[in-house]
Amino acid sequence: MSVVLILVVAAPLLGAALLLLPGVGDRAARLIGVGATAATLVGAVALACAFRRGRGMRFETDVSWAPSLGLRFHLGIDGISLPLLVLTALLTLLVAVHSLWNIPPGGSSRAFVALFLLLETGTLGTFAALDLILFFLFFEVVLVPMYFLINRWGSAGERGPASYKFILYTLLGSAVMLLGFLLIQAKTGTFDMVELADRHGAGMSHGVQVLAFLAIGLGLAVKVPMWPLHTWLPDAHTAAPTAGSVLLAGVLLKMGTYGLIRIAVPVLPEGAETFAPYLAAFGVIGIVYGSLVCLALLRDPDGDLKRIIAYSSVGHMGFALLGIATLTPQGVNGALFVNIGHGLVTGLLFFLAGAVKDRHGTALLGRLGGGMYGRTPRLGALVAFGAVAGLGLPGLAGFWGELLAMYGAYEPGAGLSVGGYRTFLALAGLGTVLTAAYLLGLVRRLCMGPVGGEPTVGVDVTGPELVVWTPLVALTLVAGLWPATLLAITDPAVRALMGGS
């Protein structure tokens, strides 16, 4: 199955290469995108079916890549990376299917499809890489296609500044992260992530661990994004096309929290213990801040629907940061559940926001009006479903991750202040109330409010849209009703990575 993992990572890249062949038209390019992403999802599901739950890596490939530099092509997955691998493959396939009929103006279909295929390869490689430099290279591959998706196919008047801010923030963060990786290698003599995690900081002094964690943590915090390094995200989401927003929220943000769990916490345990309270503090600030901004945007006639969803992501990813910062298996499992739940729910919300914008020609709340239950009842029902899933309603995917993160904060890891973390728990609880307030307010305004202007395209949910959105709705229900299915995969790997029993 190690060959299957390599093919899963490489399949989107091979699809992008096919688009370079002469004579490939727009329609053929879109079909190639669907075929490549479907093959990737089939491979990812095959890996999931063959996966044996427990400790240790599965399906490893470890060959020398650049012997003089000590670099290895080392891939493998465990219970931490497998769910993210499947989520990435699913969301990219749905984006490819959506692109069969919806590619915004800005460039050729071939270029659009090639970019999201290249982005998928970079993301999958990031989740499968077990060498720090290989991780860094895949991490960087993602930035270029997302920049062009925003810059070429984004909203006119917004895409230029948004794409520049995106690439500036993420490149600077990556450069700082690379310095941390080089410091680790200088002190340990290896880039191998499995070996480094097994050592749990052996060979590195307390000062080295603190410095390396600061560098790596800052680089990854930009991608999460953690308050106050989040300012690129709302602009990027507001300007990005629907496909870009779905992949950015559903997949790219998870690379930051994944890196913290896979690299920073197990490799640098003393650095993690030093910075954990600050990570938790910034996480809960993000939870409360994101909710307050959403409430303000909800009252603003010029508030943008996509911008509200973007700021909600700042809040939801704050729960993931809080869970990681507890340094407990419960908290880290919660962070991983937040990753999956947020990917499903926010992916659905951005698809719905794109559909609303296509029908009205705008995403500004003051021009959208209300009354969706009356004029487009199925679309209104889906918006309401996405909203209640986002607020963490029990029985849906958004609930369990936040619960586990807050449970971990109630009894944080050894050496952390119980009183301080229970204060963070209280603030996170306040954030859940504020989240419910703005999401229910959004439903009331869009779905039950007075009708403003008639939609440009006065149709309800179409058949192709239903094909794309149904898997996200179904998996949101499955993850919420049967959380043990996911936790049984992640928990053994989390405990092994953190040195627990």
Side-chain angles (χ1 to χ4, degrees), residues 295-310:
L295 284 170
L297 289 172
L298 193 61
R299 297 174 181 273
D300 184 358
D302 292 326
D304 190 286
L305 176 59
K306 294 182 69 177
R307 202 169 189 86
I308 290 176
I309 302 172

PDB file of all heavy atoms in Angstrom, residues 295-310:
ATOM      1  N   LEU A 295     -20.524  39.434  14.670  1.00  0.00           N
ATOM      2  CA  LEU A 295     -21.717  40.148  15.125  1.00  0.00           C
ATOM      3  C   LEU A 295     -21.760  41.567  14.562  1.00  0.00           C
ATOM      4  O   LEU A 295     -22.832  42.058  14.166  1.00  0.00           O
ATOM      5  CB  LEU A 295     -21.739  40.186  16.659  1.00  0.00           C
ATOM      6  CG  LEU A 295     -22.146  38.890  17.365  1.00  0.00           C
ATOM      7  CD1 LEU A 295     -21.885  39.001  18.860  1.00  0.00           C
ATOM      8  CD2 LEU A 295     -23.615  38.577  17.106  1.00  0.00           C
ATOM      9  N   ALA A 296     -20.596  42.237  14.523  1.00  0.00           N
ATOM     10  CA  ALA A 296     -20.544  43.586  13.962  1.00  0.00           C
ATOM     11  C   ALA A 296     -20.851  43.576  12.470  1.00  0.00           C
ATOM     12  O   ALA A 296     -21.591  44.439  11.958  1.00  0.00           O
ATOM     13  CB  ALA A 296     -19.168  44.199  14.226  1.00  0.00           C
ATOM     14  N   LEU A 297     -20.300  42.599  11.735  1.00  0.00           N
ATOM     15  CA  LEU A 297     -20.561  42.512  10.297  1.00  0.00           C
ATOM     16  C   LEU A 297     -22.024  42.215  10.019  1.00  0.00           C
ATOM     17  O   LEU A 297     -22.588  42.671   9.015  1.00  0.00           O
ATOM     18  CB  LEU A 297     -19.676  41.425   9.676  1.00  0.00           C
ATOM     19  CG  LEU A 297     -18.188  41.733   9.568  1.00  0.00           C
ATOM     20  CD1 LEU A 297     -17.410  40.501   9.130  1.00  0.00           C
ATOM     21  CD2 LEU A 297     -17.938  42.872   8.587  1.00  0.00           C
ATOM     22  N   LEU A 298     -22.644  41.445  10.904  1.00  0.00           N
ATOM     23  CA  LEU A 298     -24.050  41.101  10.718  1.00  0.00           C
ATOM     24  C   LEU A 298     -24.943  42.337  10.770  1.00  0.00           C
ATOM     25  O   LEU A 298     -25.981  42.402  10.105  1.00  0.00           O
ATOM     26  CB  LEU A 298     -24.461  40.100  11.797  1.00  0.00           C
ATOM     27  CG  LEU A 298     -25.790  39.372  11.620  1.00  0.00           C
ATOM     28  CD1 LEU A 298     -25.790  38.549  10.335  1.00  0.00           C
ATOM     29  CD2 LEU A 298     -26.054  38.469  12.817  1.00  0.00           C
ATOM     30  N   ARG A 299     -24.536  43.339  11.531  1.00  0.00           N
ATOM     31  CA  ARG A 299     -25.318  44.565  11.664  1.00  0.00           C
ATOM     32  C   ARG A 299     -24.967  45.603  10.597  1.00  0.00           C
ATOM     33  O   ARG A 299     -25.620  46.640  10.504  1.00  0.00           O
ATOM     34  CB  ARG A 299     -25.096  45.172  13.050  1.00  0.00           C
ATOM     35  CG  ARG A 299     -25.568  44.275  14.191  1.00  0.00           C
ATOM     36  CD  ARG A 299     -25.194  44.859  15.542  1.00  0.00           C
ATOM     37  NE  ARG A 299     -25.617  44.003  16.632  1.00  0.00           N
ATOM     38  CZ  ARG A 299     -26.813  44.029  17.205  1.00  0.00           C
ATOM     39  NH1 ARG A 299     -27.713  44.899  16.773  1.00  0.00           N
ATOM     40  NH2 ARG A 299     -27.123  43.214  18.182  1.00  0.00           N
ATOM     41  N   ASP A 300     -23.918  45.333   9.825  1.00  0.00           N
ATOM     42  CA  ASP A 300     -23.448  46.284   8.829  1.00  0.00           C
ATOM     43  C   ASP A 300     -24.081  45.978   7.472  1.00  0.00           C
ATOM     44  O   ASP A 300     -23.945  44.859   6.968  1.00  0.00           O
ATOM     45  CB  ASP A 300     -21.919  46.190   8.731  1.00  0.00           C
ATOM     46  CG  ASP A 300     -21.322  47.203   7.782  1.00  0.00           C
ATOM     47  OD1 ASP A 300     -22.078  47.977   7.159  1.00  0.00           O
ATOM     48  OD2 ASP A 300     -20.081  47.223   7.655  1.00  0.00           O
ATOM     49  N   PRO A 301     -24.781  46.937   6.855  1.00  0.00           N
ATOM     50  CA  PRO A 301     -25.363  46.680   5.532  1.00  0.00           C
ATOM     51  C   PRO A 301     -24.316  46.288   4.490  1.00  0.00           C
ATOM     52  O   PRO A 301     -24.643  45.614   3.507  1.00  0.00           O
ATOM     53  CB  PRO A 301     -26.031  48.009   5.169  1.00  0.00           C
ATOM     54  CG  PRO A 301     -26.241  48.704   6.473  1.00  0.00           C
ATOM     55  CD  PRO A 301     -25.111  48.289   7.356  1.00  0.00           C
ATOM     56  N   ASP A 302     -23.077  46.736   4.697  1.00  0.00           N
ATOM     57  CA  ASP A 302     -22.003  46.382   3.772  1.00  0.00           C
ATOM     58  C   ASP A 302     -21.234  45.153   4.229  1.00  0.00           C
ATOM     59  O   ASP A 302     -20.170  44.835   3.672  1.00  0.00           O
ATOM     60  CB  ASP A 302     -21.041  47.558   3.609  1.00  0.00           C
ATOM     61  CG  ASP A 302     -21.692  48.733   2.888  1.00  0.00           C
ATOM     62  OD1 ASP A 302     -22.535  48.482   2.008  1.00  0.00           O
ATOM     63  OD2 ASP A 302     -21.374  49.892   3.225  1.00  0.00           O
ATOM     64  N   GLY A 303     -21.732  44.475   5.254  1.00  0.00           N
ATOM     65  CA  GLY A 303     -21.095  43.240   5.702  1.00  0.00           C
ATOM     66  C   GLY A 303     -21.184  42.175   4.617  1.00  0.00           C
ATOM     67  O   GLY A 303     -22.211  42.013   3.958  1.00  0.00           O
ATOM     68  N   ASP A 304     -20.102  41.447   4.415  1.00  0.00           N
ATOM     69  CA  ASP A 304     -20.003  40.456   3.351  1.00  0.00           C
ATOM     70  C   ASP A 304     -20.215  39.061   3.931  1.00  0.00           C
ATOM     71  O   ASP A 304     -19.609  38.701   4.944  1.00  0.00           O
ATOM     72  CB  ASP A 304     -18.638  40.554   2.661  1.00  0.00           C
ATOM     73  CG  ASP A 304     -18.552  39.724   1.403  1.00  0.00           C
ATOM     74  OD1 ASP A 304     -18.465  38.489   1.527  1.00  0.00           O
ATOM     75  OD2 ASP A 304     -18.576  40.304   0.305  1.00  0.00           O
ATOM     76  N   LEU A 305     -21.075  38.265   3.295  1.00  0.00           N
ATOM     77  CA  LEU A 305     -21.362  36.913   3.783  1.00  0.00           C
ATOM     78  C   LEU A 305     -20.095  36.073   3.860  1.00  0.00           C
ATOM     79  O   LEU A 305     -19.865  35.362   4.853  1.00  0.00           O
ATOM     80  CB  LEU A 305     -22.393  36.246   2.864  1.00  0.00           C
ATOM     81  CG  LEU A 305     -22.749  34.792   3.174  1.00  0.00           C
ATOM     82  CD1 LEU A 305     -23.309  34.657   4.576  1.00  0.00           C
ATOM     83  CD2 LEU A 305     -23.736  34.258   2.133  1.00  0.00           C
ATOM     84  N   LYS A 306     -19.253  36.141   2.830  1.00  0.00           N
ATOM     85  CA  LYS A 306     -18.024  35.348   2.848  1.00  0.00           C
ATOM     86  C   LYS A 306     -17.066  35.836   3.926  1.00  0.00           C
ATOM     87  O   LYS A 306     -16.326  35.055   4.516  1.00  0.00           O
ATOM     88  CB  LYS A 306     -17.354  35.403   1.471  1.00  0.00           C
ATOM     89  CG  LYS A 306     -18.145  34.728   0.367  1.00  0.00           C
ATOM     90  CD  LYS A 306     -17.412  34.785  -0.964  1.00  0.00           C
ATOM     91  CE  LYS A 306     -16.177  33.896  -0.947  1.00  0.00           C
ATOM     92  NZ  LYS A 306     -15.497  33.880  -2.258  1.00  0.00           N
ATOM     93  N   ARG A 307     -17.080  37.115   4.201  1.00  0.00           N
ATOM     94  CA  ARG A 307     -16.210  37.656   5.245  1.00  0.00           C
ATOM     95  C   ARG A 307     -16.658  37.173   6.630  1.00  0.00           C
ATOM     96  O   ARG A 307     -15.822  36.900   7.500  1.00  0.00           O
ATOM     97  CB  ARG A 307     -16.216  39.191   5.191  1.00  0.00           C
ATOM     98  CG  ARG A 307     -15.009  39.846   5.818  1.00  0.00           C
ATOM     99  CD  ARG A 307     -14.956  41.334   5.503  1.00  0.00           C
ATOM    100  NE  ARG A 307     -13.699  41.916   5.926  1.00  0.00           N
ATOM    101  CZ  ARG A 307     -12.599  41.926   5.201  1.00  0.00           C
ATOM    102  NH1 ARG A 307     -12.607  41.381   3.997  1.00  0.00           N
ATOM    103  NH2 ARG A 307     -11.481  42.468   5.655  1.00  0.00           N
ATOM    104  N   ILE A 308     -17.958  37.058   6.830  1.00  0.00           N
ATOM    105  CA  ILE A 308     -18.465  36.514   8.094  1.00  0.00           C
ATOM    106  C   ILE A 308     -17.990  35.075   8.279  1.00  0.00           C
ATOM    107  O   ILE A 308     -17.528  34.687   9.368  1.00  0.00           O
ATOM    108  CB  ILE A 308     -20.002  36.606   8.129  1.00  0.00           C
ATOM    109  CG1 ILE A 308     -20.443  38.065   8.257  1.00  0.00           C
ATOM    110  CG2 ILE A 308     -20.565  35.771   9.278  1.00  0.00           C
ATOM    111  CD1 ILE A 308     -21.949  38.250   8.205  1.00  0.00           C
ATOM    112  N   ILE A 309     -18.092  34.272   7.232  1.00  0.00           N
ATOM    113  CA  ILE A 309     -17.646  32.879   7.330  1.00  0.00           C
ATOM    114  C   ILE A 309     -16.137  32.825   7.577  1.00  0.00           C
ATOM    115  O   ILE A 309     -15.647  31.979   8.332  1.00  0.00           O
ATOM    116  CB  ILE A 309     -18.026  32.098   6.062  1.00  0.00           C
ATOM    117  CG1 ILE A 309     -19.533  32.158   5.835  1.00  0.00           C
ATOM    118  CG2 ILE A 309     -17.572  30.650   6.167  1.00  0.00           C
ATOM    119  CD1 ILE A 309     -19.984  31.578   4.501  1.00  0.00           C
ATOM    120  N   ALA A 310     -15.388  33.751   6.959  1.00  0.00           N
ATOM    121  CA  ALA A 310     -13.937  33.793   7.172  1.00  0.00           C
ATOM    122  C   ALA A 310     -13.598  34.090   8.632  1.00  0.00           C
ATOM    123  O   ALA A 310     -12.746  33.425   9.236  1.00  0.00           O
ATOM    124  CB  ALA A 310     -13.315  34.844   6.256  1.00  0.00           C
TER     125      ALA A 310
END
